[in-house]
């Protein structure tokens, strides 16, 4: 039994390591400025924790020795020195890991210069994402969804028709952004909590009704990427999908113009 | 031949083991409880042990009640301070409309509650005294004079609740704050939670007062019920003044 | 009967007579077993629901024999009830209230819980709560579908989806009752531990199981009163027109919502202030059982008993300061992330210390490879695997990507679901002789162990990869998002592994019921265990035998003693006096 258990533990370790090394599924290629540092941190995390995982399972397998039937087991209550040593060791490892991750986090949440950023307001509604651009005047019009929102009349967000700032707002069902510029997002929700998840950008942020949440990301590669909803929002949660189209600057300008003329 | 003692002595030096062999440290008190220390299982039901157990029970209950009210207070204060998000102004705005509290009624209620604590304390003390004498066989162990005091406490408790209902009614008819102002529901929530707890206390007092009649409750059980309920009751009284202070001082 | 005022007989009136006495018993042994069977029912329903979920995910058109096709709108109801049953009615019930009610008095050398009737009240309330939860499947709209976390406003608005009407009300009522029951029983546990110990049973001589039951009870007192408050507030929002959790300006299903000024984050704060301690409520008793069994079966004292107790206390205290790690992506002030991240990292330290001590307990022991030991080793293995993803999720920067993906599902199924179940299994195999007077079959037990260990890893390891690739959780269908649809093959693998694992549980059930009826009679102390539950002989049926006055002379883990006819000292073995000269 001892041998079998040890072998199975070793096999499990091997299997898990194989799974992560061969990784039939893995991160989509990162296409935002933030993804580089993040992927590096992930790589470090998987190495450190993977090493602890292997060490843990193998040490567990090793202590399961079958001792000869005549041997006595050790009557050993413990040892404070050992106790302190391993507590200190694991504290150092965990906190080093924590501090290195904390640095990345403070970088991510730091305010950034808004110059040249694209403003997009994202609204989640059961079960559809809407993206609003401020138009030529650079400001978003006031909204009042219960009052004005009529999806079939082209005003799903309920932009107040009386507000001049809202006249030139552009509402789209996909996010189109120019490559290389920071995208400033303002997240809102019309009914329940949703979560804007763009795996390729390594981006996720809940959209909470009654709040405006400001965040940003910077796409660096032209292409089309999927958005999923990552917070349970009801029956259609699984199909609350949208696309981010990252385009060149000219194309973006053109797209804006096309939308404005509609 | 090695003995346990020697063996353990050698291995124990870094003292980490769970107790290990040794003398019973402190047969009573911290060194252990008393349940295993008796020959007859009836001792488990002896009035003294039951009283001690019930007191501990009440202490733990009060701990739990405290947690509940700390959380409610935090909810109250956080909502008061943070206000509501205004999407047009794009910032938090203060929307707390202070309640126009009916102070007279509130003070009357407070007075009722204090009085009920006093009457309950009278009942508790006489019962505790009588218990001592009853154990010595001097007086018959039955509650007589205490019952009226308990009755008065119950009545005062109900009066307090009726007073609270008046307060709620009063607030309900104040039209000043729109339907969505947080101050009123939060007031209802905190005072309502207090009232519900008070109802439990009233039920316990009724049980103690009528128990002898309806369920042949013995005097010592009755006394235990009154003892721990009085802890609870006094605690709710203190809590009430905490709530009163909260709703009075925390206003925008 | 006319009796002396203070004579003990007067109050010793039996609670009831006849069969009623066995069903509505106040005997802790009967109640412990009742909790056990209630949890067994809950785990079977929960596992059945997980099976339906898994099948629906990968073969949406498949018809289940005797059940028919699974409707897509039912997926979320199954998910919610699966999580609720498993977390509340299995992991917070059987390790604490089931085994605890049965064995806490025995291990402390007491004859009963401090408040026998409170135990009974706790059980019956739990049962009602369970029935209310199950009733939700049969009301219009079906059971609640907002996940076990019931995030508002989805859970606050009756028209936000099917199951958000009556189903959610029933969920809230059920949870309210469950909180009440748990608080009742927690009060009982704390009082019993403080008051009912046999003389000589100092706190530091309690088996670690008692320590974990004790600390878990204290955590329950705190955590469940907060959940009660939250559940009541949500009910008020739903029915009394208050505005705690619902902000203004909402438009749901084309209708304006009649609420304003509430905060959805408030629910999350309240829920997780309960929810994180809750996961430690679920795992602490499992840790206690593991410590106990590793010591018994390696014939060695627990390594670092004092450090273990310290770790239990540290986990209990820190558990209340880390709730924000579930909310890194929620819109909470990002600067709070630092504090929560650091505290979460801090709580991983005592957990790791416990792991080290388990390994050190095994080291150098003369290990007896019985089924309970196998499951305990499995617990340690799964705890390491599931636990190590914890510090990763505790990093806000990394967690934001992995939050609400299958990576989290993998984390908590390994550390909570599987590790927790392994501890339940080991406790069942270990205590079965004491609970039912018979032995379970070792061979079937081993088969069950191998299937479950391999099955657990095969089912939940691949979920990490799904999460890394960005598969959000709580998706009832894989076709809605293209990159998710591409993950179907791995999802299929997971489903197959889950089906095999679940089929393996039939071995356990067969073993359980067969042994209950036909198993060989158990010896008085079949595992040569030193704690008091094995020190008194006799049948395990109603009211305990007082028999012997329990006086505790030894610590709980005196194994591996040389030079005597048995290699351990029972906690209440007579004090030989030898030691006094030696010390
Ligand atoms: C029993 C339950 C349990 C336990 C014990 C834990 C333990 C831990 N959990 Fe987990 N967690 C859950 C149950 C549990 N969790 C659940 C249910 C959820 C999801 C809820 C939901 O959203 O539905 C969750 C989610 C969750 C999140 C949020 C994820 C998200 O939604 O984005 C986070 C983030 O910090 C986290 C962190 C941790 C940490 C740091 C620990 C630590 O305590 C872990 C400590 C353990 C170790 C660190 C292992 C020690 C081993 C070694 C160090 C090996 C080395 C050994 C040798 C070399 C011999 N958990
Ligand atoms: C204890 C907790 C527990 C347990 C045991 C399980 C067991 C399983 N869970 Fe569960 N699960 C949760 C807790 C648990 N789960 C929670 C909290 C959620 C989140 C819900 C939410 O998002 O809101 C979740 C969500 C969840 C999902 C996510 C769905 C989604 O996000 O879309 C999936 C998907 O595969 C899943 C699958 C499974 C499977 C296949 C098992 C199988 O492994 C089942 C195998 C079962 C056994 C091995 C048990 C057999 C036991 C016995 C036969 C008797 C033993 C009992 C006694 C002796 C009393 N679960
Ligand atoms: Cu929107 Cu999930
Ligand atoms: Cu947590």
């Amino acid at each position: 039994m001892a041998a079998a258990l040890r072998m199975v533990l070793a096999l499990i370790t091997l299997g898990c390591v194989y799974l992560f090394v061969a990784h039939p599924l893995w991160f989509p290629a990162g296409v935002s400025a933030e993804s580089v540092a993040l992927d590096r941190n992930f790589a470090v995390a998987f190495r450190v924790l993977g090493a602890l995982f292997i060490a843990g399972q193998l040490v567990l397998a090793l202590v399961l020795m079958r001792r000869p039937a005549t041997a006595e087991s050790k009557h050993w209550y413990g040892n404070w020195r050992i106790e302190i040593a391993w507590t200190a060791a694991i504290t150092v490892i965990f906190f080093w890991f924590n501090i290195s991750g904390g640095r990345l986090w403070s970088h991510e949440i730091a305010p950034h210069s808004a110059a040249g950023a694209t403003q997009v307001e994202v609204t989640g509604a059961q079960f559809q994402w809407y993206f609003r651009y401020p138009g030529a005047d650079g400001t978003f019009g006031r909204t009042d969804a219960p009052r004005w929102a009529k999806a079939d009349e082209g005003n799903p967000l309920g932009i107040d028709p009386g507000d001049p700032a809202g006249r030139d707002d552009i509402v789209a069902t996909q996010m189109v952004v120019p490559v290389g510029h920071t995208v400033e997002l303002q997240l809102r929700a019309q009914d329940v909590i949703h979560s804007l998840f763009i795996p390729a950008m390594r981006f996720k942020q809940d959209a909470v009704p009654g709040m405006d949440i400001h965040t940003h990301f910077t796409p660096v590669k032209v292409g089309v990427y999927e958005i999923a909803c990552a917070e349970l929002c009801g029956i259609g949660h699984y199909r609350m999908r949208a696309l981010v189209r990252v385009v060149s600057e000219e194309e973006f300008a053109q797209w804006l113009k096309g939308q404005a003329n509609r | 031949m090695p003995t346990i003692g020697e063996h353990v002595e050698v291995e124990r030096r870094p003292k980490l083991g769970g107790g290990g062999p040794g003398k019973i440290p402190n047969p009573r008190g911290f060194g252990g409880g008393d349940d295993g220390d008796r020959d007859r299982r009836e001792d488990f039901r002896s009035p003294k042990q039951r009283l001690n157990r019930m007191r501990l029970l009440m202490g733990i209950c009060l701990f739990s009640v405290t947690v509940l009210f700390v959380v409610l207070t935090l909810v109250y204060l956080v909502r008061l301070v943070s206000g509501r998000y205004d999407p047009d102004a794009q910032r938090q705005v203060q929307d707390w409309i202070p309640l126009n509290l009916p102070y007279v009624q509130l003070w009357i209620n407070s007075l009722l509650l204090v009085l009920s604590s006093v009457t309950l304390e009278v009942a508790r003390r006489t019962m505790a005294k009588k218990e001592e004498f009853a154990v010595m066989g001097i007086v018959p162990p039955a509650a007589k004079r205490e019952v009226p005091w308990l009755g008065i406490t119950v009545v005062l408790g109900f009066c307090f609740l009726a007073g609270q209902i008046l307060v709620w009614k009063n607030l309900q008819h104040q039209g000043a704050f729109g339907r969505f102002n947080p101050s009123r529901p939060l007031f209802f929530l905190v005072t309502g939670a207090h009232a519900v707890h008070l109802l439990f206390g009233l039920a316990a007092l009724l049980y103690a007062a009528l128990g002898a009649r309806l369920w042949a409750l013995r005097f010592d059980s009755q006394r235990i019920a009154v003892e721990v309920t009085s802890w609870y009751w006094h605690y709710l009284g203190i809590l009430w003044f905490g709530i009163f202070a909260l709703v009075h001082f925390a206003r925008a | 009967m006319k009796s002396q005022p203070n004579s003990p007989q007067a109050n010793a009136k039996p609670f009831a007579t006849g069969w009623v006495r066995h069903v509505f018993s106040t005997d802790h042994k009967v109640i412990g077993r009742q909790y056990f069977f209630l949890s067994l029912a809950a785990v079977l329903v929960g596992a059945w629901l997980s099976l339906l979920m898994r099948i629906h995910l990968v073969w949406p058109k498949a018809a289940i024999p005797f059940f028919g096709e699974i409707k897509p709108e039912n997926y979320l109801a199954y998910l919610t009830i699966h999580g609720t049953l498993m977390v509340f009615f299995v992991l917070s019930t059987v390790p604490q209230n089931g085994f605890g009610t049965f064995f806490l008095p025995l291990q402390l050398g007491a004859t009963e819980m401090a408040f026998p009737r409170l135990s009974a009240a706790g059980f019956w309330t739990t049962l009602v709560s369970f029935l209310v939860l199950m009733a939700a499947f049969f009301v219009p709209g079906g059971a609640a579908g907002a996940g076990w976390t019931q995030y508002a406003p989805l859970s606050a608005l009756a028209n936000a989806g099917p199951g958000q009407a009556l189903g959610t009300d029933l969920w809230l009522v059920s949870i309210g009752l469950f909180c009440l029951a748990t608080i009742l029983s927690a009060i009982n546990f704390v009082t019993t531990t403080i008051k009912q110990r046999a003389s000589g049973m100092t706190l530091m001589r309690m088996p670690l199981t008692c320590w974990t039951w004790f600390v878990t009870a204290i955590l329950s007192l705190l955590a469940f009163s907060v959940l009660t408050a939250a559940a009541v507030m949500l009910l008020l929002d739903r029915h009394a027109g208050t505005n705690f959790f619902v902000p203004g300006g909402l438009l749901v299903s084309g209708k304006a919502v009649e609420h304003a000024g509430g905060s959805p984050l408030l629910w999350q704060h309240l829920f997780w202030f309960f929810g994180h301690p809750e996961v430690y409520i679920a795992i602490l008793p499992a840790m206690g059982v593991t410590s106990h069994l590793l010591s018994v079966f390696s014939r060695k004292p627990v390594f670092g008993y004092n450090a273990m107790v310290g770790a239990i206390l540290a986990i209990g205290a820190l558990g209340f300061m880390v709730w924000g790690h579930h909310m890194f992506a929620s819109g909470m002030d990002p600067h709070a992330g630092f504090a929560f991240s650091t505290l979460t990292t801090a709580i991983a330290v005592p957990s790791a210390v416990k792991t080290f001590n388990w390994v050190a307990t095994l080291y150098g022991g003369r290990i007896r490879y019985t089924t309970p030991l196998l499951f305990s080793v499995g617990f340690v293995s799964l705890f390491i695997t599931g636990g190590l993803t914890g510090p990763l999720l505790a990093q806000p920067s990394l967690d934001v990507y992995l939050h609400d993906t299958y990576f989290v599902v993998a984390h908590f199924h390994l550390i909570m679901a599987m590790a927790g179940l392994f501890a339940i299994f080991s406790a069942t195999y270990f205590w079965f002789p004491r609970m039912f007077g018979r032995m379970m079959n070792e061979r079937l037990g081993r088969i069950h162990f191998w299937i479950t260990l391999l099955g657990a890893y095969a089912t939940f390891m691949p979920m990490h990869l799904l999460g890394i690739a960005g598969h959000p959780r709580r998706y009832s269908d894989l076709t809605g998002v293209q990159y998710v649809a591409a993950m179907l093959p791995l999802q299929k693998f997971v489903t197959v592994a889950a089906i095999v694992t679940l089929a393996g549980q039939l071995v356990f059930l067969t073993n359980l019921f067969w042994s209950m009826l036909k198993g060989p009679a158990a010896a008085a102390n079949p595992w040569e265990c030193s704690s008091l539950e094995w020190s008194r002989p006799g049948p395990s049926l109603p009211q305990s035998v007082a028999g012997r006055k329990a006086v505790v002379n030894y610590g709980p883990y005196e194994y591996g003693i040389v030079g005597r006819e048995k290699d351990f000292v029972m906690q209440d073995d007579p004090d030989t006096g030898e030691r006094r000269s030696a010390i």
Side-chain angles (χ1 to χ4, degrees):
Chain A
M1 199 51 56
L5 189 52
R6 256 184 300 166
M7 209 168 69
V8 168
L9 284 176
L11 278 180
I12 286 176
T13 316
L14 210 64
C16 294
V17 172
Y18 174 78
L19 192 68
F20 272 74
V21 173
H23 56 72
L25 293 175
W26 204 243
F27 296 99
V31 292
S32 67
E34 294 81 5
S35 61
V36 184
L38 197 74
D39 287 358
R40 205 179 319 114
N41 263 38
F42 264 120
V44 174
F46 287 132
R47 296 221 169 87
V48 174
L49 297 172
L52 279 175
F53 166 74
I54 296 170
Q57 302 294 345
L58 293 187
V59 170
L60 182 61
L62 279 180
V63 297
L64 294 170
M65 289 292 187
R66 174 59 112 188
R67 310 188 83 219
T70 51
E72 270 121 29
S73 71
K74 284 191 146 165
H75 188 82
W76 190 16
Y77 285 118
N79 181 323
W80 275 117
R81 244 175 254 151
I82 297 179
E83 219 56 74
I84 289 166
W86 64 40
T87 310
I90 203 72
T91 309
V92 169
I93 296 178
F94 282 169
F95 275 91
W96 162 75
F97 184 58
N98 175 263
I99 289 165
S100 67
R103 237 184 265 137
L104 184 58
W105 181 241
S106 59
H107 187 73
E108 278 174 23
I109 64 176
H112 62 109
S113 79
T118 321
Q119 305 283 332
V120 185
E121 184 206 74
V122 183
T123 307
Q126 279 179 335
F127 302 102
Q128 174 74 47
W129 289 107
Y130 295 104
F131 305 93
R132 180 154 72 128
Y133 297 78
D137 62 355
T139 44
F140 291 108
R142 205 180 319 116
T143 59
D144 186 348
R147 183 115 177 260
W148 304 111
K150 291 231 169 43
D152 42 354
E153 287 170 22
N155 188 4
L157 298 181
I159 301 172
D160 185 347
D163 183 2
R167 298 257 165 81
D168 59 351
D169 285 3
I170 296 165
V171 178
T173 51
Q174 53 173 254
M175 191 193 305
V176 181
V177 288
V179 67
H181 289 279
T182 301
V183 182
E184 283 218 329
L185 296 174
Q186 179 177 334
L187 281 110
R188 298 178 152 195
Q190 214 171 62
D191 34 43
V192 299
I193 305 178
H194 303 271
S195 188
L196 187 76
F197 182 27
I198 318 173
M201 304 285 171
R202 306 287 184 270
F203 178 91
K204 181 183 291 139
Q205 175 60 56
D206 284 6
V208 183
M211 283 174 83
D212 272 319
I213 298 170
H214 294 264
T215 57
H216 58 92
F217 67 90
T218 311
V220 294
K221 194 152 175 262
V222 171
V224 180
Y225 310 102
E226 269 187 298
I227 298 175
C229 178
E231 183 62 67
L232 178 54
C233 50
I235 203 94
H237 170 52
Y238 71 92
R239 58 179 152 82
M240 198 165 149
R241 164 184 183 265
L243 294 176
V244 193
R245 214 141 58 78
V246 180
V247 296
S248 67
E249 265 177 76
E250 304 84 70
E251 215 176 318
F252 179 64
Q254 210 130 65
W255 178 81
L256 275 183
K257 216 182 287 157
Q259 292 287 315
N261 292 342
R262 276 221 323 231
Chain B
M1 192 178 188
T3 64
I4 334 163
E6 280 167 12
H7 191 88
V8 166
E9 228 280 308
V10 174
E11 296 289 353
R12 249 182 121 191
R13 204 155 288 134
K15 195 172 172 303
L16 253 153
K23 235 177 50 174
I24 307 168
N26 244 340
R28 313 234 155 219
F30 188 69
D34 35 30
D35 190 45
D37 195 24
R38 23 138 270 269
D39 298 305
R40 293 162 308 148
R41 97 172 246 98
E42 289 82 43
D43 284 4
F44 182 65
R45 297 185 166 277
S46 85
K48 187 160 157 278
Q49 282 208 15
R50 274 196 303 144
L51 178 61
N52 282 338
R53 251 197 323 265
M54 292 303 282
R55 280 183 174 157
L56 186 59
L57 170 123
M58 190 40 72
I60 298 164
C61 283
L62 294 185
F63 174 69
S64 203
V65 174
T66 310
V67 175
L68 178 68
F69 279 91
V70 167
V71 167
L72 292 182
T73 308
L74 284 178
V75 168
Y76 191 97
L77 290 176
V78 167
R79 184 63 183 82
L80 168 69
V81 173
S82 66
R84 169 177 71 81
Y85 182 78
D86 183 343
D88 291 332
Q90 300 236 344
R91 62 186 170 79
Q92 297 288 118
V93 292
Q94 291 301 333
D95 60 343
W96 187 277
I97 303 176
L99 289 171
N100 203 353
L101 292 176
Y103 279 101
V104 179
Q105 186 65 50
L106 285 173
W107 279 115
I108 293 175
N109 289 354
S110 311
L111 190 69
L112 290 170
L113 207 54
V114 171
L115 277 181
S116 73
S117 262
V118 173
T119 51
L120 184 56
E121 189 62 14
V122 174
R124 187 189 74 81
R125 292 206 177 174
T126 38
M127 280 182 108
K129 273 248 174 59
K130 196 184 264 182
E131 166 90 8
E132 276 172 36
F133 289 125
V135 170
M136 290 186 263
I138 298 175
V139 297
K144 285 237 172 56
R145 246 177 341 111
E146 300 80 5
V147 176
W149 283 114
L150 290 179
I152 297 174
T153 313
V154 171
V155 171
L156 286 171
F158 276 116
C159 287
F160 172 84
L161 287 183
Q164 290 292 81
I165 291 173
L166 288 183
V167 171
W168 295 330
K169 276 256 157 66
N170 178 318
L171 290 177
Q172 210 154 38
H173 295 307
Q174 287 181 18
F177 13 49
R179 289 189 35 223
F180 300 130
N181 202 274
S183 53
R184 194 162 51 184
L186 278 170
F187 180 87
F188 286 166
L189 182 71
V190 180
T191 51
H194 179 258
V196 168
H197 282 80
L198 211 76
L199 272 178
F200 287 128
L202 283 171
L205 285 181
L206 281 174
Y207 170 75
L210 305 178
R213 243 201 218 154
L214 299 183
W215 302 285
L217 195 66
R218 279 202 346 261
F219 176 70
D220 52 309
S221 306
Q222 222 174 345
R223 193 233 145 178
I224 291 172
V226 171
E227 172 91 19
V228 293
T229 313
S230 73
W231 287 25
Y232 182 70
W233 197 264
H234 300 329
Y235 184 82
L236 285 185
I238 298 170
L239 200 61
W240 165 247
F241 284 99
I243 293 170
F244 200 172
L246 175 74
V247 295
H248 172 72
F249 289 113
R251 30 179 48 229
Chain C
M1 181 177 62
K2 194 91 183 125
S3 66
Q4 283 298 300
N6 287 326
S7 93
Q9 279 82 14
N11 246 18
K13 190 166 53 116
F15 182 57
T17 49
W19 66 271
V20 180
R21 187 160 157 220
H22 289 278
V23 176
F24 297 99
S25 171
T26 55
D27 182 354
H28 69 103
K29 300 210 196 74
V30 175
I31 294 169
R33 271 188 300 244
Q34 285 171 331
Y35 268 122
F36 180 84
F37 287 113
L38 172 62
S39 282
L40 192 61
V43 84
L44 292 180
V45 178
W48 170 246
L49 292 176
S50 79
L51 186 68
L52 295 182
M53 274 154 54
R54 289 304 326 170
I55 291 176
H56 176 75
L57 272 183
V58 301
W59 299 297
K61 293 269 155 15
I64 315 279
F66 311 113
F67 190 82
E69 212 172 288
I70 303 158
K71 291 205 231 59
E73 57 268 32
N74 284 347
Y75 181 89
L76 293 179
Y78 295 164
L79 169 70
T80 306
I81 304 297
H82 165 74
T84 311
L85 279 177
M86 291 296 199
V87 172
F88 291 96
F89 292 89
V90 179
L91 275 195
S92 313
T93 299
V94 73
Q96 174 80 2
N97 295 332
F99 295 124
T101 309
F102 199 109
F103 289 104
L104 178 72
L106 293 184
Q107 290 197 333
L108 295 177
T111 36
E112 246 309 341
M113 293 295 278
F115 304 105
R117 283 188 222 176
L118 210 54
S119 304
F123 169 74
W124 292 102
T125 315
T126 314
L127 180 66
V128 172
S129 151
F130 175 71
L131 295 177
V132 171
L133 190 68
M134 289 296 100
F137 277 119
F138 305 101
V139 300
W148 82 285
T149 51
Q150 295 289 347
Y151 276 11
L154 180 57
S155 59
L157 304 174
N159 62 344
Q164 298 318 117
L166 203 49
T168 303
D169 290 329
L170 289 176
W171 189 93
L172 287 168
V173 170
S174 163
I175 291 310
L177 287 172
F178 188 89
C179 293
L180 187 70
T182 310
I183 291 175
L184 291 183
S185 110
I187 293 170
N188 209 349
F189 271 69
V190 175
T191 317
T192 306
T193 312
I194 294 177
K195 277 274 176 240
Q196 307 298 115
R197 282 171 289 133
S199 62
M201 179 62 86
T202 59
L203 286 178
M204 294 312 267
R205 272 185 187 168
M206 296 196 303
L208 285 170
T209 38
C210 297
W211 266 109
T212 52
W213 286 323
F214 182 48
V215 174
T216 303
I218 296 174
L219 296 191
S220 305
L221 282 174
L222 284 154
F224 280 99
S225 37
V226 177
L227 183 62
T228 322
V232 169
M233 286 162 74
L234 190 50
L235 267 177
L236 289 177
D237 262 13
R238 291 171 60 85
H239 294 294
T242 57
N243 301 283
F244 299 117
F245 306 122
V246 188
L250 299 194
L251 181 70
V252 175
S253 315
K255 278 212 205 67
V257 171
E258 296 273 308
H259 280 281
S263 156
L265 288 194
L266 176 61
W267 171 264
Q268 297 184 23
H269 280 294
L270 289 176
F271 184 86
W272 289 117
F273 185 78
F274 147 80
H276 190 84
E278 159 65 20
V279 306
Y280 289 105
I281 288 170
I283 208 69
L284 275 175
M287 291 171 157
V289 165
T290 305
S291 308
H292 198 68
L293 298 201
L294 289 181
S295 172
V296 173
F297 291 108
S298 58
R299 313 310 293 167
K300 274 184 69 209
V302 163
F303 191 91
Y305 178 95
N306 295 9
M308 284 296 220
V309 172
I312 292 169
L313 294 173
I315 290 175
L318 286 169
F320 282 98
M321 302 178 210
V322 302
W323 77 91
H325 68 210
H326 296 274
M327 298 170 62
F328 290 140
S330 69
M332 170 184 79
D333 181 0
H335 296 281
F338 292 109
F340 285 123
S341 157
T342 306
L343 286 162
T344 307
T345 306
I347 205 173
V349 171
S351 307
V353 167
K354 288 192 78 78
T355 312
F356 294 139
N357 279 311
W358 289 323
V359 172
T361 303
L362 283 168
Y363 170 72
R366 256 178 68 191
I367 302 170
R368 298 179 179 170
Y369 286 89
T370 57
T371 310
L373 175 95
L374 292 179
F375 274 100
S376 291
V377 172
F379 173 93
V380 178
S381 169
L382 287 162
F383 187 81
I384 294 174
T385 312
L388 280 172
T389 46
L392 194 156
L393 292 173
Q395 298 293 322
S397 47
L398 307 185
D399 176 67
V400 160
Y401 180 80
L402 294 173
H403 171 69
D404 263 338
T405 65
Y406 265 81
F407 195 88
V408 178
V409 178
H411 160 70
F412 70 74
H413 274 91
L414 284 169
I415 196 171
M416 178 175 76
M418 289 301 117
L421 267 184
F422 268 55
I424 293 176
F425 283 134
S426 61
T428 307
Y429 284 102
F430 177 73
W431 276 322
F432 190 84
R434 194 71 188 85
M435 291 176 81
F436 299 101
R438 294 172 188 275
M439 301 297 288
M440 284 180 83
N441 186 297
E442 275 291 311
R443 177 189 292 263
L444 288 181
R446 281 185 202 150
I447 295 173
H448 174 217
F449 170 73
W450 296 117
I451 297 178
T452 316
L453 182 70
L454 292 171
Y457 273 103
T459 311
F460 297 111
M461 276 317 274
M463 286 192 184
H464 289 109
L465 294 185
L466 293 173
I468 290 172
H471 192 326
R473 56 191 277 213
R474 295 162 168 179
Y475 269 27
S476 54
D477 194 314
L478 304 182
T479 55
V481 178
Q482 273 169 19
Y483 76 83
V484 171
M487 298 181 199
L488 188 63
L490 200 57
Q491 284 280 27
K492 276 199 174 132
F493 175 83
V494 170
T495 299
V496 172
I499 293 175
V500 173
T501 317
L502 275 164
Q505 306 312 310
L506 294 178
V507 179
F508 170 75
L509 291 176
T510 315
N511 193 354
L512 186 77
F513 288 111
W514 183 82
S515 306
M516 227 175 260
L517 303 172
K518 292 264 164 63
N525 188 354
W527 312 113
E528 300 193 279
C529 174
S530 71
S531 52
L532 291 183
E533 79 262 34
W534 303 102
S535 85
R536 297 170 198 200
S540 53
L541 282 164
Q543 301 298 352
S544 326
V545 271
R548 180 142 56 103
K549 175 167 150 176
V551 175
V552 175
N553 293 312
Y554 298 93
Y557 299 114
E558 299 298 329
Y559 297 103
I561 307 281
V562 262
R564 300 175 105 220
E565 88 254 38
K566 43 180 196 170
D567 72 337
F568 66 106
V569 188
M570 213 67 196
Q571 283 199 271
D572 60 347
D573 268 354
D575 188 358
T576 52
E578 290 164 281
R579 135 228 59 87
R580 232 162 289 157
S581 54
I583 286 178

